[in-house]
Amino acid sequence: MTTIDLILLAAIVALALVTRLWFWQVQARSGAVPPGDPEEYYRAAIHILHGGYHDTGKWLRPPVYPAFLALLLPPAGMNVAGALLLQACVLSIGTLAFYASGTQLFGRVTGMVTTLLAALFVPLASYASSLYAEALFVTLLVIGLALIDRALVRNSTRAACGAGVLLALAALTRAVGLYLIPLAAVWIAWRMRHGGSLSIGMGLSDTRLRRVARSKDHGAQIHPSSDVGEGAWKDTGKDASQSEQHIMSDRLEIRSYQLAISLILGALLVVGPWAARNYLAHGRIILSDTNGGISMWYGTVRDDAEEKAGEARLAAVPNLADRQSLAIQMAWENIRHDPARFLARMRFKIASLYALQTRSYAVGDVISIDSRGAPLVQNAGEYRLSMTLLADAQYVALIILAIGGVCFMPHPARAIPTLLWVGLATLLAALTIGHPRLRLPIVASVLPFAAYALVRLPAGWRHIRQLPRDRRSYVALSGVMAFLALIVSMRYIPWGAGMWYAVPGRSALEAGDLRQAETLLALAHDAQPDNPLRVIDLADLRLAQGDDRAALSLYRRAAEMERRSLYAQAMRAITGAYLAMPDEAAAGLAAIDDYWRSGNDLLEWAWTTRRRPAPDRVVPGDPMALGLYAGFAPATPDLAVGRWTLGEGRVRVRGGCGALAVQLRGPSGRRVDISIDDWGIRERMIMNGEQQEVRFALSGIRECEFGPELTVHIVSETGLLDLERAPWYTGVAVYEVRVER
């Protein structure tokens, strides 16, 4: 590698770091732990740091990402935001895996372009700073696929063993990778036995597309040949004696098994200890996790009643492996009862896997983005509309380029391991729940082929007239048409008609032109009345006009149309608080906690969103107080009233000339610093384990008689609250902050 190559590669890695830090700043600064997968990974990491593993959850999670997270948390002071910042930095360097993959397949130039694509691909950058395993899984998967190719190219048992190790680590990051290991071993054995090793001469990569000839017998060797193309098969077996051919065939057969066995052994070195640990802990063989069977059952559930009954049945089984077995049994029962329905749903799940992210905006099922494009909670994979359109444009372009790259690459057989992974991932999505998160590893794995097509695009353009005479052109065209058939939807037509008015309408609303906004947003709603986002637009308009009751009614209506809309539910709670309607505020917050959780990411968003004057008394955790406190942990079972801080809590109250009282509790000996804005009012307390109250005189605050808004800062050390019930690192419990006049 030349000095210029090193400089370019360093610049691309720096670009990857910038994109990932930007996403961290947007989505991960709150330090909140979202429910679901992120919480399970976090709990497992905390248990690792305390000498165990999280074996009492809904299912057993694979250990690699929790172990990775456990390495990052202590240097960050057990702060989740700090750990995710370190993760973003590490995975920025991890983009070098794409350089290794692209270089292995096509050479340095394509390797460099592959790294650039990985640095700029929006979903990959987003997941790098979130509490999900996808970015780490992708990194391990890409290196593993590159090592498979290296093993075949160089007949290297060491590379095959390394591929097994990396693929096993990937499988212990996301269990979907587990099934790739035996498939890869079978492919290696078959390829070596029937075709010999793959050739990669120094001049093979990044040259003009060449035709590949097939070997006629096992004795064929690979040599560059001007007659059949560089890296093609050249038959040398004709000049060999019959005995020599038999010897070469026997050696090739032995070598094929050696490579396959080396890959399996490498995988066993990683999976074996984890499976043994699980056998000791659960009395069953668990190779990776117990998620797959339950996800498969979820993919066959017919209605909410069946889901609740099934979940209760599964929860009654204490052993996690037996729980998964029962889930598989329940899934097969549903499949046998109505196989046609299951097959039809497989088609929809594949379409869901490959659908554009913009479809969420088209149908209005956006969960975590507010009407201004800001995230309410950490939900990797959901972005503001402009970023979603960019991500979809990248996705479509990369897949089309990758199809072309696979079809026109010099030796298409070298794409088989990647294609096996794509097919496997698609099949698993069709059999389970078709979660769109699985699309990221699919797209990331084909980036080298997209990069190759991009590098060869100028040469292809110069020979464009030859394409109609090349059968590969029609294969590529068929692949592109099949992909487009998966992503095209009639839903985009009415959505586009509504957005024609919604975009200028929202701009007018932001600019304060309420009359123009009302006209345009009403037209947008008329164009797509079944989209909850158009109802939310009207609710925001009514709120800006000062008609709180009409706004509340519209937020409630939007929430009924899409109950998962955290923005509609949060604004229902905040607007209910404006109107002194505690039942409405409680209903909105309860809906959020039922589907998601009112963690600090939501609290930070509400802190910047709520604009009305603060009251004299604030109780953290009270639905009426949403937007008046931030820096707090989710609700915990030990507190009926109040919430624990995450080390730096803030509470907003209306001031006066009397006294400010703060009621709090913390572990004995913990120091707490309490201050009020920049007024020089500060007090340090030492907690005694009981509920305590600290009071401040407010008479020294300028113009206190006008009741200025005050922000009370509560800063303390943190410690683990409860390993099983509330594994958050918290400071002190704040019961209330009030101003006495």
Side-chain angles (χ1 to χ4, degrees):
M1 183 182 292
T2 66
T3 303
I4 294 178
D5 289 338
L6 287 173
I7 293 173
L8 286 175
L9 198 57
I12 294 173
V13 172
L15 179 62
L17 178 62
V18 169
T19 58
R20 283 145 182 78
L21 291 182
W22 185 85
F23 275 106
W24 174 86
Q25 187 270 338
V26 170
Q27 67 186 17
R29 284 191 306 162
S30 69
V33 177
D37 292 8
E39 181 180 341
E40 291 165 6
Y41 291 133
Y42 172 80
R43 283 178 177 269
I46 297 300
H47 276 77
I48 289 174
L49 290 172
H50 286 78
Y53 200 72
H54 185 46
D55 291 299
T56 57
K58 187 175 184 179
W59 41 49
L60 183 71
R61 283 290 179 182
V64 169
Y65 181 65
F68 177 66
L69 190 60
L71 290 175
L72 300 178
L73 281 167
M78 303 308 296
N79 179 273
V80 174
L84 291 178
L85 178 62
L86 293 176
Q87 175 180 299
C89 296
V90 172
L91 292 177
S92 298
I93 301 172
T95 54
L96 293 175
F98 292 90
Y99 176 78
S101 178
T103 301
Q104 171 62 34
L105 285 167
F106 301 109
R108 290 185 296 108
V109 174
T110 302
M112 204 76 70
V113 175
T114 305
T115 314
L116 180 61
L117 294 178
L120 296 176
F121 187 41
V122 167
L124 189 56
S126 169
Y127 277 98
S129 61
S130 63
L131 270 173
Y132 288 93
E134 271 70 17
L136 180 61
F137 172 71
V138 161
T139 303
L140 296 170
L141 174 68
V142 166
I143 302 176
L145 291 172
L147 284 175
I148 290 175
D149 186 79
R150 190 178 185 87
L152 287 169
V153 165
R154 300 193 177 186
N155 284 333
S156 171
T157 54
R158 181 179 298 178
C161 183
V165 169
L166 267 297
L167 291 179
L169 287 172
L172 295 187
T173 305
R174 286 294 309 273
V176 291
L178 184 65
Y179 306 99
L180 180 60
I181 296 172
L183 285 178
V186 170
W187 161 249
I188 288 175
W190 187 91
R191 178 72 261 181
M192 291 296 296
R193 188 170 181 180
H194 291 83
S197 64
L198 300 173
S199 173
I200 179 169
M202 291 300 291
L204 172 62
S205 303
D206 298 321
T207 61
R208 64 183 179 83
L209 301 179
R210 299 181 180 276
R211 187 165 300 183
V212 179
R214 184 180 297 273
S215 171
K216 294 184 179 180
D217 56 57
H218 295 319
Q221 301 285 328
I222 301 175
H223 296 289
S225 168
S226 59
D227 296 329
V228 295
E230 192 172 8
W233 296 107
K234 184 180 180 181
D235 192 355
T236 60
K238 293 182 179 179
D239 298 329
S241 66
Q242 191 72 17
S243 61
E244 288 175 337
Q245 290 187 39
H246 283 303
I247 292 172
M248 294 172 68
S249 178
D250 291 341
R251 288 178 177 176
L252 191 59
E253 183 174 351
I254 293 172
R255 194 62 176 172
S256 69
Y257 292 128
Q258 284 180 339
L259 291 181
I261 291 171
S262 295
L263 185 141
I264 295 296
L265 287 177
L268 288 176
L269 288 174
V270 176
V271 175
W274 174 246
R277 178 263 171 203
N278 290 334
Y279 186 79
L280 293 175
H282 301 284
R284 305 286 189 277
I285 296 294
I286 302 173
L287 296 180
S288 180
D289 68 3
T290 60
N291 186 326
I294 299 176
S295 294
M296 183 177 180
W297 170 70
Y298 274 123
T300 65
V301 169
R302 287 160 291 194
D303 52 47
D304 292 342
E306 180 185 347
E307 180 176 332
K308 290 181 180 179
E311 286 179 340
R313 188 178 172 189
L314 291 172
V317 179
N319 186 282
L320 296 180
D322 292 344
R323 189 180 298 175
Q324 176 171 242
S325 298
L326 175 60
I328 294 174
Q329 178 185 340
M330 293 162 58
W332 280 116
E333 289 174 357
N334 286 342
I335 294 171
R336 285 195 299 267
H337 180 264
D338 193 349
R341 178 179 177 275
F342 177 73
L343 292 174
R345 291 189 68 179
M346 286 181 66
R347 179 172 64 88
F348 287 115
K349 284 185 272 190
I350 292 174
S352 173
L353 175 66
Y354 287 99
L356 300 178
Q357 290 175 274
T358 309
R359 190 177 187 278
S360 292
Y361 284 90
V363 300
D365 63 358
V366 176
I367 296 171
S368 61
I369 305 298
D370 72 8
S371 56
R372 300 169 299 165
L376 283 81
V377 297
Q378 296 180 40
N379 186 25
E382 263 198 352
Y383 321 107
R384 64 188 311 158
L385 180 57
S386 58
M387 188 63 66
T388 301
L389 291 171
L390 174 60
D392 281 342
Q394 291 177 327
Y395 164 55
V396 172
L398 289 173
I399 292 297
I400 292 175
L401 286 170
I403 291 171
V406 169
C407 292
F408 287 95
M409 65 185 293
H411 203 310
R414 298 176 67 185
I416 295 298
T418 301
L419 296 180
L420 284 174
W421 158 247
V422 172
L424 172 65
T426 304
L427 176 62
L428 291 175
L431 291 175
T432 56
I433 56 176
H435 203 294
R437 281 212 310 272
L438 192 55
R439 186 177 65 195
L440 175 61
I442 292 175
V443 179
S445 68
V446 301
L447 285 183
F449 305 98
Y452 175 75
L454 198 58
V455 169
R456 301 308 306 153
L457 205 55
W461 181 258
R462 290 195 298 269
H463 299 87
I464 193 170
R465 293 184 178 180
Q466 300 176 14
L467 292 179
R469 296 192 296 271
D470 193 328
R471 287 178 297 179
R472 294 172 298 181
S473 302
Y474 299 100
V475 176
L477 181 61
S478 299
V480 170
M481 295 301 293
F483 168 66
L484 293 178
L486 288 174
I487 65 174
V488 171
S489 172
M490 298 300 291
R491 288 276 194 171
Y492 296 115
I493 297 175
W495 176 70
M499 290 300 294
W500 180 263
Y501 301 108
V503 171
R506 293 295 315 188
S507 298
L509 180 60
E510 295 295 329
D513 188 350
L514 301 184
R515 179 175 297 180
Q516 179 71 0
E518 182 166 15
T519 300
L520 293 171
L521 294 179
L523 290 171
H525 177 263
D526 292 342
Q528 198 183 17
D530 60 340
N531 191 321
L533 299 180
R534 304 289 76 84
V535 179
I536 287 174
D537 289 339
L538 296 177
D540 289 345
L541 173 66
R542 296 291 178 257
L543 199 65
Q545 292 173 334
D547 192 347
D548 292 351
R549 291 192 177 276
L552 176 60
S553 177
L554 288 167
Y555 286 129
R556 191 189 303 116
R557 178 179 158 200
E560 291 170 354
M561 296 171 69
E562 176 51 76
R563 66 177 181 82
R564 300 173 302 166
S565 174
L566 300 183
Y567 178 70
Q569 301 287 10
M571 290 306 297
R572 179 184 176 190
I574 291 175
T575 310
Y578 291 164
L579 294 169
M581 299 171 64
D583 291 343
E584 197 68 44
L589 199 62
I592 292 173
D593 287 329
D594 180 60
Y595 176 72
W596 199 265
R597 179 165 56 214
S598 53
N600 193 48
D601 43 6
L602 180 72
L603 302 182
E604 292 286 356
W605 170 85
W607 178 271
T608 62
T609 299
R610 185 162 179 161
R611 300 298 182 190
R612 303 296 172 89
D616 298 338
R617 179 176 178 268
V618 172
V619 176
D622 187 333
M624 296 289 286
L626 185 62
L628 300 173
Y629 66 103
F632 285 76
T636 53
D638 63 314
L639 292 180
V641 176
R643 283 201 182 185
W644 289 87
T645 71
L646 291 172
E648 297 184 12
R650 309 187 304 280
V651 179
R652 185 185 290 150
V653 293
R654 179 172 176 265
C657 296
L660 174 76
V662 181
Q663 290 187 5
L664 65 168
R665 174 174 62 86
S668 181
R670 181 163 294 172
R671 293 176 298 179
V672 184
D673 291 320
I674 304 174
S675 60
I676 303 175
D677 288 333
D678 299 320
W679 296 102
I681 301 175
R682 183 181 300 273
E683 181 76 21
R684 169 167 289 185
M685 294 184 65
I686 305 297
M687 297 288 95
N688 60 13
E690 303 295 332
Q691 184 170 330
Q692 298 170 256
E693 181 173 286
V694 59
R695 301 173 67 86
F696 300 90
L698 301 178
S699 56
I701 294 178
R702 187 173 61 252
E703 298 181 343
C704 64
E705 64 273 12
F706 296 107
E709 191 168 86
L710 306 177
T711 300
V712 181
H713 298 266
I714 305 167
V715 181
S716 68
E717 302 166 332
T718 61
L720 182 63
L721 184 59
D722 187 303
L723 181 61
E724 294 296 336
R725 299 192 304 164
W728 323 121
Y729 277 76
T730 57
V732 294
V734 180
Y735 294 99
E736 71 169 357
V737 178
R738 69 180 186 277
V739 172
E740 300 174 350
R741 301 187 182 282

